Amino acid sequence: MANVSKQVLDEAAILTNDRAAVRRAREFIDRLCREPVRPEYLEECKRLYKPPRFEDQRARVKPEQERARHAKLWLVRLKEYSLPESEVERYEQGEAKAEKRVKTRARSTTDSFHWPSKPRMADELELGDWIIQATTYKDKSIVVSPPRQLLFIDHYIRDRSSGKERWVFHTEVPRLGESMTWAGFRSAARAVFGAGELTPPRTRPIRDVRAADHLLDLWTPGGRVSRR
């Protein structure tokens, strides 16, 4: 893909008032804005820039060269579980770190979930990715929480004798967010998945952008269940 990008440049623009599209654009810009752009850096960019050369025919990408599309949204299945007392202090250290990363404290707070071993999504998730979690409680009820964004992933050794780790996913969530029942979520998501695909809930990436936007749009930007 790197060789292709040197030979082919694609640009696109869109004018829209769709909330999901605007939200995606803002998330993308936020990911790029890691540090200020100063005059010295701009001069260095101009020095290094080389205009692209276009061939008569675009380079073709073979199917085996194509990369899987990054999933900006994950559905995560959880179960009610209390951490052992021996882990609480270390766990809280991560929570304190997460609180410092919240951008809008008036509207957002932190939350987290954890895994007893490294899950596949730990290698795929990026800062700012969205997560919708479905939690099964001891009474067998399943509650779907409003979308939250990843702040960072923490992990530590929870059992030194065996070397077992704890993987903790710290997220930013809306303070006034509303949850919905699994039945309500599944009904609203049928337009994307069909009834059978979400029975029972399972951890999975949502790679299709339209599907991800549809699920995120079940809530307002403030985390309230959308009444549309």
Side-chain angles (χ1 to χ4, degrees), residues 46 63 99 121 131 136 152 162 178 228:
K46 287 191 287 185
E99 289 175 359
M121 63 181 171
I131 296 169
T136 302
F152 78 100
S162 63
E178 295 178 337
R228 300 195 288 148

Side-chain angles (χ1 to χ4, degrees), residues 66-108:
E66 295 181 355
R67 294 180 295 177
R69 177 182 297 175
H70 173 72
K72 71 159 192 173
L73 171 66
W74 279 73
L75 294 182
V76 177
R77 181 184 182 182
L78 302 172
K79 292 184 179 181
E80 185 179 10
Y81 176 81
S82 298
L83 279 176
E85 187 66 29
S86 59
E87 295 184 41
V88 171
E89 182 177 356
R90 177 60 181 83
Y91 194 92
E92 290 177 346
Q93 291 175 7
E95 289 185 325
K97 184 178 178 181
E99 289 175 359
K100 295 179 181 179
R101 299 193 178 192
V102 175
K103 296 179 181 178
T104 54
R105 296 179 182 275
R107 293 179 297 174
S108 303

